[in-house]
Amino acid sequence: MLKKSFVFCLFLLAITTACNKKETLYKVVKVKDGDTIELLSPDHQNITVRLAEIDAPEKSQAFGQAAKQFTADLCFGKMVKLIGNTKDRYGRTVATIELENGTNVNYEIVKNGYAWQYLAYSHNNVELAGLEQNARESKLGLWHDLNPTPPWSFRRDEKTQRLNKPKVQSTKPKRHYRKRRKKLPEAVSF
């Protein structure tokens, strides 16, 4: 009987702990671009987050500033949940962000036409594909453009241009500097 009571108490304690466990909330302190934000953790650490499964236009690209503004309007200064914690090659956390009310920030950006589903990193996400298709058909955000350039193509083209750009030789004459000789201290005589 004592053993059953003890097990029952442990079970109740486990359920109570699980129900009372609060999810960690982070504050959005910076929006770098349409799909990259900076969070402040409860222990005051800055975390750069690349939003998973989506790709927004680059800042220098058409609709890049609009995507950044939409993301800022949606979540800047708000408390959010961080879902996922993988790292990309730049050391950023790749994750889904949810507002306290349950709104999926990643999905909202695509739904409103400010990002593509990033097919290279979003495998079989039918819901996200549907949100993008609806935005395309409704000509929302970047879909106003007849033929918008996906960010991965834009980045590739930018890189190709940088690599193919001929290096320009400087027309300034090279300056030659003479090495100064150090003066030796004069000998002291006794």
Side-chain angles (χ1 to χ4, degrees):
M1 182 73 156
L2 183 63
K3 202 176 203 180
K4 286 183 180 179
S5 296
F6 180 72
V7 171
F8 183 70
C9 287
L10 280 177
F11 177 72
L12 286 177
L13 180 66
I15 289 175
T16 305
T17 305
C19 291
N20 290 335
K21 186 179 178 184
K22 287 186 175 181
E23 291 183 348
T24 303
L25 294 177
Y26 301 82
K27 184 171 186 175
V28 178
V29 293
K30 185 175 185 178
V31 175
K32 294 184 174 190
D33 60 28
D35 56 25
T36 308
I37 62 175
E38 195 169 297
L39 303 178
L40 183 64
S41 71
D43 60 346
H44 303 290
Q45 300 294 315
N46 284 357
I47 302 167
T48 300
V49 178
R50 172 69 168 78
L51 299 178
E53 298 188 274
I54 70 169
D55 203 4
E58 297 297 318
K59 286 187 283 190
S60 59
Q61 188 179 353
F63 292 95
Q65 291 299 323
K68 178 181 178 181
Q69 187 62 52
F70 180 83
T71 303
D73 292 343
L74 183 61
C75 63
F76 180 75
K78 295 183 181 173
M79 300 302 286
V80 297
K81 297 172 206 166
L82 183 64
I83 302 167
N85 64 352
T86 59
K87 300 279 185 187
D88 68 6
R89 64 182 176 204
Y90 304 108
R92 301 175 298 188
T93 299
V94 178
T96 298
I97 301 294
E98 267 187 15
L99 299 177
E100 284 185 283
N101 67 8
T103 300
N104 183 319
V105 172
N106 305 40
Y107 284 17
E108 280 299 305
I109 296 168
V110 172
K111 178 182 174 181
N112 287 280
Y114 290 104
W116 281 258
Q117 177 184 17
Y118 202 175
L119 292 173
Y121 299 100
S122 177
H123 307 290
N124 302 322
N125 189 332
V126 178
E127 184 178 0
L128 195 56
L131 292 172
E132 180 182 320
Q133 187 60 39
N134 288 340
R136 283 177 186 250
E137 289 169 0
S138 301
K139 299 199 181 307
L140 298 175
L142 62 90
W143 303 111
H144 282 306
D145 196 343
L146 293 176
N147 192 21
T149 303
W152 52 88
S153 298
F154 181 82
R155 288 189 295 267
R156 184 191 61 230
D157 294 346
E158 289 281 306
K159 184 177 180 181
T160 302
Q161 286 177 2
R162 278 194 316 272
L163 292 175
N164 292 337
K165 188 175 180 180
K167 293 192 178 195
V168 178
Q169 291 287 341
S170 175
T171 56
K172 291 183 180 179
K174 205 171 192 180
R175 295 184 75 181
H176 297 282
Y177 294 94
R178 280 187 10 198
K179 202 173 189 180
R180 287 187 174 181
R181 291 186 182 170
K182 289 185 179 180
K183 279 190 174 180
L184 296 175
E186 293 184 25
V188 180
S189 58
F190 292 96

